[in-house]
Amino acid sequence: MSLVKLIKALRYVFVGAFFGIVLTKAEVVAWHKIRAMFYFQEPDLYLIIGSAVATAALLVALAKRFVPRTPFGEPVEVTPKPMHKGVFYGGFLFGVGWFITGTCPGPVYAQLGGGEFFAVFTLIGALAGVYVFAAVKPRLPD
Amino acid sequence: MTNLLLNPWPWWLAGPLIGLTVGLLLVLGGRNLGVSSSFRHLCTLAFPKSRLPYLAHNDVRAKAWSLLFVLGLALGAFVAVRFLSYQPVEFLPAHYHSASGALKLLAGGFLVGFGTRWARGCTSGHAIMGLATFQKPSLYAVLSFFAGGLTAAGIALVLNGGLS
């Protein structure tokens, strides 16, 4: 593998690691913080999501204006998300799962890396869910 | 300063840094933040002979960035726990470390996988990336996430009158 290829791969590991450190230090990975969010016991998660969205909106706008390409020449662009029924049905089901496990997809990996062995069950459950989704997808509303 | 770093981070530090992740991934990697698609890629890798189109027609090599990203995510959490924390980080509560906890995690995890793939996004892809780029489907997705979570919260409250 050439050095350029290695760096191209490693940049995703590094940005992912940054994300993992922030999610863990913010305690977004903690079951009790998710419960506290759903029971409106503390505003932290809402403030975190709100300030994350605001910062990301600003940075994405700046990036689109001033950074047309990555250092490796790939285009810097936002992929539009199409409207479909799954955002309602799937979104609702995910919300229930989020409450039960206290964990959304990013934190599943953070819990595993942070030494939370029981997150293995969350991951196995999630992969089973994807497999069943793949099997029934043709019969579901899009 | 060291105290700020080694204690749990306040929202005003953590939130903007999550936003910064979106910017870094976009300008360094040319990718839109999202985590739940990695479940699909892992599923394709776990069932390489599956004929289900959703798994079979999925070019994991082209989406390898997603798996590298979640590998980094796990490594970052390791670093945060091992080197950046005074107190042990609590992930799941003690009462989840049981057979009934494992069943809850399997069932809840099933809904997380099934639901995020049906919605084509999770908290990262819809709530952070989608809302930050003013995408209406993401707004509906996020409202649905909370509709589901709050419904479950209400049911849990009625069933066992509690926060467990």
Side-chain angles (χ1 to χ4, degrees):
Chain A
M1 194 197 290
S2 72
L3 186 62
V4 175
K5 267 193 165 167
L6 183 67
I7 295 171
K8 278 173 94 167
L10 280 180
R11 65 191 159 149
Y12 296 116
V13 181
F14 276 108
V15 179
F18 179 79
F19 196 39
I21 289 173
V22 177
L23 289 182
T24 305
K25 290 307 297 177
E27 295 186 299
V28 174
V29 296
W31 178 93
H32 71 91
K33 295 293 275 190
I34 303 304
R35 284 293 155 114
M37 170 183 80
F38 281 127
Y39 283 118
F40 302 107
Q41 290 165 323
E42 54 182 41
D44 297 27
L45 255 292
Y46 297 101
L47 292 168
I48 287 172
I49 294 173
S51 57
V53 169
T55 309
L58 179 71
L59 292 178
V60 170
L62 288 173
K64 277 163 71 176
R65 180 92 175 69
F66 297 110
V67 190
R69 294 193 171 269
T70 72
F72 299 94
E74 299 118 331
V76 166
E77 52 194 19
V78 173
T79 314
K81 295 182 194 295
M83 192 62 189
H84 66 116
K85 295 199 178 96
V87 297
F88 298 99
Y89 300 127
F92 188 93
L93 294 180
F94 163 51
V96 175
W98 191 11
F99 173 84
I100 296 172
T101 59
T103 314
C104 53
V108 174
Y109 298 105
Q111 290 180 355
L112 288 170
E116 174 57 75
F117 173 75
F118 269 65
V120 168
F121 295 112
T122 318
L123 182 65
I124 291 172
L127 296 183
V130 174
Y131 188 87
V132 173
F133 172 72
V136 300
K137 189 171 186 291
R139 277 172 282 160
L140 290 176
D142 185 48
Chain B
M1 185 63 199
T2 315
N3 268 324
L4 180 68
L5 205 66
L6 296 183
N7 281 310
W9 293 354
W11 69 267
W12 49 263
L13 180 61
L17 289 179
I18 291 173
L20 179 59
T21 311
V22 170
L24 288 174
L25 187 61
L26 188 61
V27 300
L28 294 179
R31 301 290 181 175
N32 292 193
L33 179 71
V35 173
S36 65
S37 50
S38 65
F39 290 153
R40 179 185 182 186
H41 308 323
L42 286 179
C43 220
T44 293
L45 293 178
F47 302 99
K49 300 221 172 111
S50 169
R51 297 226 193 104
L52 297 170
Y54 187 73
L55 300 178
H57 303 161
N58 179 30
D59 185 357
V60 177
R61 286 186 75 92
K63 319 246 182 71
W65 79 270
S66 164
L67 295 174
L68 293 166
F69 184 75
V70 299
L71 171 70
L73 219 167
L75 291 173
F78 174 79
V79 169
V81 166
R82 189 82 176 69
F83 303 108
L84 293 174
S85 300
Y86 280 136
Q87 307 283 338
V89 178
E90 192 194 290
F91 292 104
L92 297 167
H95 70 273
Y96 268 54
H97 293 156
S98 61
S100 72
L103 282 175
K104 277 186 204 170
L105 294 173
L106 281 170
F110 183 93
L111 293 171
V112 170
F114 193 101
T116 54
R117 286 298 75 214
W118 199 358
R120 298 182 211 161
C122 61
T123 335
S124 303
H126 278 312
I128 308 292
M129 188 67 200
L131 291 186
T133 52
F134 309 102
Q135 311 223 32
K136 208 185 244 180
S138 292
L139 178 62
Y140 290 136
V142 174
L143 292 174
S144 305
F145 297 167
F146 279 92
L150 292 172
T151 302
I155 292 171
L157 211 52
V158 170
L159 283 185
N160 47 29
L163 305 177
S164 65

